[in-house]
Amino acid sequence: MSATQNTFVVISEDAELIETVRASVGANVLLQVARDLAEALPLVVTPPAVGVVVDGNALRGAALTALSRLRANSPLVNILFVTSDLRASFLNDVQPLRVELLARPLPMDAVTRFVARTLAAGRLSDLQMVTWIDRLASEHKLSGNDVALFPLVLDRETPEALCARLNIDQAALTRGLRRLVKKCRVRNTDRLAKNVMRDALLFSSQNSASYVISAHA
């Protein structure tokens, strides 16, 4: 798999659903199929998948817990949940998780449209990320040395490469990361990375929406 190839994950044992997604993603997207959430999570997180189709029948009745865990581990991934039971209480609970819902019997063209939208959206651009990190630096009074650690936090540079670039040793790197997470008021660098990716995407989406409104006012 190339570094730029998109990954899609299907959590299901439904052959028709799996084949619909397979036909929709095409040959240039890596499709991973999992039987349950435990098997799917590593496929979704590394490398980060762009989309996940979750079959409620594969979750054995623990849908909300599974979707919450999936969203916590992958703040940016597009999620489609296929269910046989669309109760109002469930709709209210799942809304904050930013999950699209489809009820059985499945309109397969809706699955195809979800895949197409997800692939068209692509991943967060470097420009969006840099713009949000600049805002974060201003808000939390981060120094230039703090900001220089973000390529490592976002898994775009190895610790060895960052130490060589900044001419620091491992002990100094550890102190710098500890200082960074404290300033940003998070528990660890993993949480910081997830927050940055999520907030950068939301910030970009809000700006795009504002532009569209003003352009058509």
Side-chain angles (χ1 to χ4, degrees):
M1 183 185 68
S2 68
T4 58
Q5 186 178 20
N6 286 329
T7 301
F8 231 94
V9 176
V10 181
I11 307 174
S12 181
E13 295 179 347
D14 182 334
E16 185 180 9
L17 177 59
I18 294 169
E19 288 309 310
T20 297
V21 178
R22 191 186 305 280
S24 302
V25 300
N28 295 323
V29 175
L30 176 65
L31 180 65
Q32 303 271 39
V33 179
R35 292 168 298 181
D36 53 36
L37 182 69
E39 185 179 330
L41 273 179
L43 305 178
V44 173
V45 174
T46 308
V50 294
V52 185
V53 176
V54 184
D55 185 350
N57 291 341
L59 300 181
R60 312 293 186 256
L64 187 59
T65 299
L67 292 172
S68 298
R69 188 176 173 195
L70 183 59
R71 174 56 71 208
N73 280 273
S74 298
L76 298 180
V77 73
N78 281 3
I79 302 173
L80 175 66
F81 182 67
V82 177
T83 180
S84 302
D85 184 12
L86 275 182
R87 289 169 298 170
S89 58
F90 180 76
L91 291 173
N92 292 335
D93 289 338
V94 83
Q95 185 175 5
L97 300 176
R98 293 178 288 114
V99 173
E100 294 189 40
L101 299 172
L102 270 183
R104 280 191 163 89
L106 276 179
M108 289 301 179
D109 59 332
V111 177
T112 301
R113 289 196 299 271
F114 168 79
V115 173
R117 285 197 311 274
T118 297
L119 294 177
R123 294 181 180 174
L124 197 62
S125 73
D126 288 340
L127 179 59
Q128 290 169 324
M129 193 73 76
V130 168
T131 300
W132 181 254
I133 290 173
D134 284 346
R135 288 176 60 91
L136 194 67
S138 175
E139 179 182 349
H140 295 288
K141 297 180 171 57
L142 303 183
S143 68
N145 289 337
D146 296 328
V147 173
L149 300 177
F150 274 97
L152 173 62
V153 171
L154 297 171
D155 200 27
R156 298 184 177 186
E157 191 171 20
T158 65
E160 295 77 14
L162 186 138
C163 285
R165 177 169 60 84
L166 299 181
N167 193 28
I168 60 176
D169 59 20
Q170 182 62 47
L173 175 59
T174 300
R175 290 194 299 271
L177 291 172
R178 191 180 300 123
R179 179 181 64 243
L180 177 61
V181 298
K182 183 177 180 180
K183 284 185 176 182
C184 292
R185 300 192 290 274
V186 292
R187 297 189 305 273
N188 50 47
T189 56
D190 181 61
R191 174 48 55 192
L192 177 59
K194 290 174 180 176
N195 286 356
V196 168
M197 289 188 292
R198 178 200 64 207
D199 293 342
L201 182 66
L202 292 175
F203 174 68
S204 174
S205 299
Q206 290 166 358
N207 276 359
S208 298
S210 298
Y211 172 77
V212 170
I213 292 170
S214 61
H216 292 82

